[in-house]
Amino acid sequence: MQVIKYMFQPHGDDRGQLVALEEFKDIPFKIKRVYYMYDTTEGVVRGHHAHKSLEQILICIHGSCKIRLDNGSEKKVVPLEKPYEGLYVANDMWREMFDFSSDAVLMVLASELYDESDYIRDYDEFLEYVNSKSEE
Ligand code: TYD
């Protein structure tokens, strides 16, 4: 499984750091939605779903967390610890977010608007879905 992590360019000077993200330049898709998680309860695991048709970039803009990616045959854990790194997550990928630091803010840039019908929230259904696609 290929993990795609973007390292964004911080514009730093003696005032501090600034990261700018533009669609189709720093981000490989049109950004239709932005959401973020914060005040995440200690020990909590979020996500537990895949998308049929959605691209996302996950950026832990403050604090740290870990992302578990699972394509149905392989799993990888990716730590997000810097505000200038972004994890690309394509469709057909089961994801879980965990190990949030108490100060973590996990921001997600998404290629589509929120659409509950695009979610696969059952793991067995996810496995069936990816296995049936790989047989095509
Ligand atoms: P949920 O899918 O449970 O979050 P996670 O996958 O991170 O555990 O979403 C939590 C709530 O927020 C749920 O009621 C749906 C809502 N929501 C939106 O309204 N818009 C969005 O873009 C997202 C991601 C969630």
Side-chain angles (χ1 to χ4, degrees), residues 20-65:
L21 303 174
E22 295 187 13
E23 57 193 20
F24 299 127
K25 191 171 149 204
D26 311 281
I27 304 299
F29 50 77
K30 182 169 173 59
I31 301 163
K32 286 201 184 167
R33 177 167 53 114
V34 177
Y35 62 93
Y36 46 90
M37 284 153 249
Y38 61 98
D39 276 356
T40 306
T41 307
E42 197 183 343
V44 119
V45 183
R46 300 199 65 131
H48 297 286
H49 65 256
H51 288 277
K52 294 176 194 164
S53 181
L54 183 72
E55 295 176 278
Q56 296 184 312
I57 298 265
L58 280 58
I59 309 168
C60 197
I61 55 174
H62 195 255
S64 63
C65 66

Side-chain angles (χ1 to χ4, degrees), residues 30-126:
K30 182 169 173 59
I31 301 163
K32 286 201 184 167
R33 177 167 53 114
V34 177
Y35 62 93
Y36 46 90
M37 284 153 249
Y38 61 98
D39 276 356
T40 306
T41 307
E42 197 183 343
V44 119
V45 183
R46 300 199 65 131
H48 297 286
H49 65 256
H51 288 277
K52 294 176 194 164
S53 181
L54 183 72
E55 295 176 278
Q56 296 184 312
I57 298 265
L58 280 58
I59 309 168
C60 197
I61 55 174
H62 195 255
S64 63
C65 66
K66 292 193 178 87
I67 315 297
R68 184 177 294 109
L69 296 178
D70 176 350
N71 64 7
S73 48
E74 210 183 327
K75 295 179 193 191
K76 274 202 177 143
V77 171
V78 184
L80 288 179
E81 294 167 340
K82 302 285 180 201
Y84 52 79
E85 60 184 18
L87 174 65
Y88 175 77
V89 182
N91 54 302
D92 299 350
M93 187 72 80
W94 189 264
R95 84 285 312 273
E96 292 168 10
M97 296 83 103
F98 63 104
D99 252 9
F100 286 85
S101 62
S102 59
D103 58 349
V105 181
L106 178 62
M107 184 175 77
V108 182
L109 311 179
S111 65
E112 298 297 338
L113 301 179
Y114 179 70
D115 175 8
E116 187 57 39
S117 70
D118 187 62
Y119 279 73
I120 305 173
R121 292 192 183 271
D122 180 85
Y123 189 68
D124 290 336
E125 197 185 312
F126 165 70

